[in-house]
Amino acid sequence: MSIGTGIEWTDATFNPWTGCTKVSPGCKFCYAALFDSRHLHEKQSHWGPGARRMPASEAQWEQVAALNRRAEKRGTPLRVFCASMADVFESEAPVAQQKRLWETIAATPHLRWQLLTKRPERVLETIPEAWRVTPPPNVWYGTSVESADYLRRVAELQKVPAAVRFLSVEPLLGSIPLMPLDGIGWVILGGESGPHARPMEAEWAREIRDQVVRVGVPLFFKQWGQHNSKGRRMKSKKFKGYNRLDGKTWRQFPKEAS
Ligand code: SF4
């Protein structure tokens, strides 16, 4: 678990396991896969079909319980992004770790679990049966949409009963002129970082902002990424104005269903 993460739309990240398989162009420069290949824990890659997924340690699970106690003590919930180094809904997910994750979520009511996936079509068949009827109040389900080619993911997410449904439009790789926003409670928007980052055109970002603002959905504009609003490559992803869209910062969060 990582508390005080650099990901500004959450408070902590937790990975019940590490490892995944790339599924779409948004995965092309997956930071987690790159990190895994550089560090090669267990001297093997955890990416791709058939590769072993590396489970979290006991100490990491204990940190989740500690974070829940901390949130309870301070009287306001803490957000946990799950997972930054895996996709908890992939078909090769380790079943025991997945089951433990559901139990842990149920036992940590002071945390807000941000379950972000590129496989929303698998959510309903994967979550505990009871959650299909009564959604847990501390779970936010999200899906990534990098271009108009992946709008079917939004339709899948809209089928999931949830306290909050959100979209991660990051890295935005193309124009999305008609984003379906019914039942969506939050949108995160951003460009790509890293040595091979693809630029996000300013018009694509504005197009999303305008649609989201029109229907009153909270927006979190995370960053331009490695390219600024003019498409120029920058040395650092945190250059002046990296998180401003037409001069304005957008750091809104969803209203939770009561
Ligand atoms: S789904 Fe996420 S974790 Fe898995 S390869 Fe794609 S970007 Fe990486």
Side-chain angles (χ1 to χ4, degrees):
M1 159 158 270
S2 174
I3 300 164
T5 161
I7 302 170
E8 290 152 324
W9 47 263
T10 197
D11 298 304
T13 56
F14 176 66
N15 294 289
W17 63 88
T18 294
C20 191
T21 293
K22 295 185 177 186
V23 284
S24 65
C27 299
K28 188 171 182 187
F29 302 118
C30 171
Y31 162 81
L34 188 67
F35 185 88
D36 185 64
S37 69
R38 282 188 181 150
H39 293 81
L40 281 187
H41 297 286
E42 302 180 327
K43 296 193 167 55
Q44 59 178 283
S45 167
H46 303 97
W47 249 260
R52 182 181 127 80
R53 305 321 191 213
M54 182 174 70
S57 66
E58 274 310 308
Q60 288 168 323
W61 287 102
E62 282 162 20
Q63 284 174 7
V64 176
L67 190 69
N68 184 60
R69 289 194 294 273
R70 194 166 123 191
E72 182 178 18
K73 206 168 161 191
R74 75 178 203 157
T76 45
L78 286 163
R79 296 177 290 261
V80 180
F81 169 28
C82 180
S84 62
M85 300 284 294
D87 183 330
V88 297
F89 294 107
E90 72 148 333
S91 58
E92 292 192 61
V95 175
Q97 298 290 308
Q98 208 174 39
K99 183 167 176 283
R100 188 168 180 181
L101 176 63
W102 310 145
E103 290 164 0
T104 300
I105 288 173
T108 52
H110 303 287
L111 302 181
R112 295 294 174 265
W113 287 88
Q114 298 165 308
L115 305 185
L116 178 61
T117 182
K118 284 190 172 69
R119 297 157 170 98
E121 70 283 0
R122 290 190 42 80
V123 174
L124 285 173
E125 67 185 87
T126 309
I127 56 177
E129 205 177 327
W131 294 11
R132 291 175 215 154
V133 183
T134 310
N138 62 335
V139 175
W140 303 1
Y141 297 100
T143 195
S144 306
V145 188
E146 61 257 50
S147 72
D149 292 341
Y150 290 90
L151 287 179
R152 62 178 178 274
R153 289 187 188 147
V154 185
E156 292 295 338
L157 184 72
Q158 286 167 326
K159 294 178 194 165
V160 179
V164 173
R165 295 182 204 90
F166 69 98
L167 305 180
S168 171
V169 186
E170 186 193 14
L172 179 57
L173 300 176
S175 167
I176 310 182
L178 288 173
M179 176 69 90
L181 290 165
D182 274 2
I184 302 300
W186 190 34
V187 172
I188 301 163
L189 171 62
E192 193 165 40
S193 309
H196 307 291
R198 295 156 283 185
M200 171 174 70
E201 288 189 14
E203 280 313 311
W204 303 343
R206 290 188 184 116
E207 193 172 55
I208 298 293
R209 176 201 59 196
D210 292 348
Q211 294 178 79
V212 167
V213 167
R214 198 174 304 133
V215 294
V217 171
L219 174 67
F220 196 107
F221 180 72
K222 187 179 162 203
Q223 58 177 25
W224 283 100
Q226 215 68 46
H227 297 80
N228 68 11
S229 58
K230 312 247 182 299
R232 191 151 57 87
R233 188 173 184 85
M234 307 303 279
K235 280 195 184 133
S236 157
K237 70 172 186 178
K238 291 217 167 173
F239 51 86
K240 192 163 178 261
Y242 77 98
N243 62 353
R244 296 174 80 84
L245 180 50
D246 290 334
K248 183 171 172 182
T249 49
W250 296 85
R251 296 178 61 88
Q252 301 170 341
F253 286 91
K255 290 185 190 67
E256 293 181 77
S258 54

